[in-house]
């Protein structure tokens, strides 16, 4: 629900900071909480312009005490990524301002332009969206930054994997053994590092038969340098959990059909896909919650755990 008190919903001190980055004569006239984020609080700020019009900005703030400790790195990295992406053709938000250490804001925050569109998480129309997602990821990996971002973070270890209740113990043990090994050699690419349907905006007409169009890719806080396989694996895992295990491998195929290049051998590809699937085992609850909030109420934590088990098992059972 939109709150038309310009200070409501935005923490004390923050409106003044935002105001310093607006055009002369502009002011905040409404704020609205945006749902779906896991690590940060997101708000859309409606700005009245001096000519009587309105425009929107998005405020990303790290509020949770546990997340605040990660805020400086995440917001600095996101600000760097948004600056790097300006003019590349990748539909990312534009950076307006950033206060990663809460020097002027109540919480570490980043202010950016608002992109039109919405996330689409339902099963209907996925066949149409899949190649669009793949082509967009290929375009992201084609970006050649003058200065490389930091190396990717793996997010899991063999000792922190959480095996779902009732899972195929043998398959999971074999999968864990895979990530005990050193990672395969790879050719580095610019990575989004959290590319998945929840971070892609579509301008989709109401008719399910109409072509969808991607209008934005958001949440660049984990942007990094690493193997293309890792971004593909992450989106594959999310598609498998959202729509069923068979959609994970289909995304990898769509990525290659779109011109993307993956690791040369099946064992190398398996390493990255298994690593990302196992990483998800540690955060099933936090992954499933925003999906339910977005309307996928059937995706309980248990349902997502079962899909993850089926996906990891299928990866391990695939022909070598």
């Amino acid at each position: 629900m939109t709150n038309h008190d310009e200070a409501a919903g935005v923490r004390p001190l923050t409106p003044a900071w935002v105001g310093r980055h607006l055009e002369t004569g502009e002011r905040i006239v409404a704020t609205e909480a945006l749902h779906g984020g896991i690590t940060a609080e997101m708000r859309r700020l409606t700005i009245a312009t001096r000519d009587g019009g309105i425009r929107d900005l998005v405020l990303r703030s790290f509020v949770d005490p546990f997340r605040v400790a990660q805020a400086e790195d995440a917001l600095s990295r996101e600000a760097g990524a948004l600056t790097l992406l300006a003019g590349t053709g990748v539909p990312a938000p534009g950076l307006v301002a950033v206060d990663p250490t809460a020097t002027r804001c109540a919480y570490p925050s980043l202010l950016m332009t608002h992109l039109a569109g919405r996330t689409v998480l339902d099963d209907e129309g996925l066949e149409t969206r899949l190649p669009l997602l793949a082509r967009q990821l290929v375009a992201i990996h084609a970006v050649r930054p003058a200065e490389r971002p930091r190396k990717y973070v793996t997010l899991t270890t063999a000792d922190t994997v959480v095996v779902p209740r009732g899972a195929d113990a043998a398959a999971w043990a074999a999968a864990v053994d895979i990530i005990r090994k050193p990672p395969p050699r790879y050719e580095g690419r610019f990575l989004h590092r959290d590319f998945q349907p929840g971070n892609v905006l579509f301008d989709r007409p109401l008719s399910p038969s109409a072509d969808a169009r991607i209008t934005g890719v958001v949440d660049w806080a984990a942007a990094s340098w690493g193997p293309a396989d890792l971004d593909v694996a992450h989106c594959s895992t999310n598609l498998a959990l959202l729509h069923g295990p068979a959609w994970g491998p289909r995304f990898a195929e769509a990525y290659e059909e779109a011109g993307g290049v993956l690791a040369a051998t099946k064992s190398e590809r398996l390493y990255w896909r298994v690593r990302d699937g196992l990483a998800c085992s540690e955060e099933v609850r936090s992954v499933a919650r925003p999906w339910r909030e977005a309307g996928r109420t059937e995706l309980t934590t248990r349902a997502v755990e079962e899909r993850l088990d089926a996906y990891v098992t299928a990866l391990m059972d695939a022909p070598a």
Side-chain angles (χ1 to χ4, degrees), residues 126-197:
L126 180 58
E127 194 79 42
T128 299
R129 298 193 304 276
L130 196 73
L132 298 181
L133 289 168
R135 287 199 292 270
Q136 183 61 74
L137 189 54
V138 169
I140 290 169
H141 291 165
V143 172
R144 295 293 181 265
E147 183 177 345
R148 292 181 181 179
R150 194 178 71 178
K151 182 182 175 181
Y152 72 91
V153 176
T154 57
L155 303 179
T156 194
T157 71
D159 297 323
T160 57
V161 171
V162 179
V163 180
R165 175 167 47 91
D168 185 322
W172 278 74
V176 169
D177 283 342
I178 286 177
I179 69 167
R180 292 187 190 279
K181 302 172 184 177
R185 296 185 65 178
Y186 61 87
E187 183 177 353
R189 292 285 184 269
F190 177 69
L191 305 182
H192 181 282
R193 200 58 188 94
D194 191 17
F195 186 86
Q196 43 92 2

Side-chain angles (χ1 to χ4, degrees), residues 23-42:
E23 300 292 333
T24 302
E26 292 187 332
R27 60 191 178 91
I28 304 170
V29 294
T31 71
E32 179 183 5
L34 299 176
H35 301 289
I38 296 175
T39 60
E41 179 183 274
M42 306 289 292

Side-chain angles (χ1 to χ4, degrees), residues 102-317:
T103 302
R104 296 182 178 275
C105 295
Y107 299 107
S109 298
L110 183 144
L111 187 65
M112 65 191 116
T113 59
H114 176 266
L115 299 177
R118 63 187 182 93
T119 56
V120 183
L121 304 180
D122 43 299
D123 293 335
E124 187 178 28
L126 180 58
E127 194 79 42
T128 299
R129 298 193 304 276
L130 196 73
L132 298 181
L133 289 168
R135 287 199 292 270
Q136 183 61 74
L137 189 54
V138 169
I140 290 169
H141 291 165
V143 172
R144 295 293 181 265
E147 183 177 345
R148 292 181 181 179
R150 194 178 71 178
K151 182 182 175 181
Y152 72 91
V153 176
T154 57
L155 303 179
T156 194
T157 71
D159 297 323
T160 57
V161 171
V162 179
V163 180
R165 175 167 47 91
D168 185 322
W172 278 74
V176 169
D177 283 342
I178 286 177
I179 69 167
R180 292 187 190 279
K181 302 172 184 177
R185 296 185 65 178
Y186 61 87
E187 183 177 353
R189 292 285 184 269
F190 177 69
L191 305 182
H192 181 282
R193 200 58 188 94
D194 191 17
F195 186 86
Q196 43 92 2
N199 285 330
V200 179
L201 305 178
F202 286 89
D203 179 17
R204 192 181 69 160
L206 293 178
S207 171
S209 62
D211 288 339
R213 182 174 66 88
I214 290 177
T215 59
V217 181
V218 299
D219 194 355
W220 293 87
S224 48
W225 189 260
D229 283 80
L230 195 51
D231 262 356
V232 173
H234 187 66
C235 192
S236 295
T237 300
N238 276 267
L239 288 167
L241 303 188
L242 264 171
H243 306 294
W247 287 100
R250 290 187 64 177
F251 179 71
E253 294 168 1
Y255 178 83
E256 290 190 285
E257 290 169 359
V261 178
L262 295 174
T265 69
K266 287 186 177 180
S267 63
E268 290 172 333
R269 298 180 188 197
L270 180 63
Y271 176 91
W272 299 112
R273 293 175 193 180
V274 165
R275 176 169 281 288
D276 191 84
L278 298 186
C280 190
S281 75
E282 301 177 36
E283 52 185 18
V284 170
R285 187 179 302 276
S286 60
V287 166
R289 177 181 51 77
W291 291 345
R292 290 195 300 274
E293 291 174 352
R296 295 295 303 273
T297 55
E298 80 281 11
L299 293 179
T300 62
T301 298
R302 183 59 186 151
V304 174
E305 285 178 338
E306 290 173 348
R307 287 188 173 184
L308 179 61
D309 176 38
Y311 177 57
V312 170
T313 301
L315 288 176
M316 298 307 298
D317 287 346

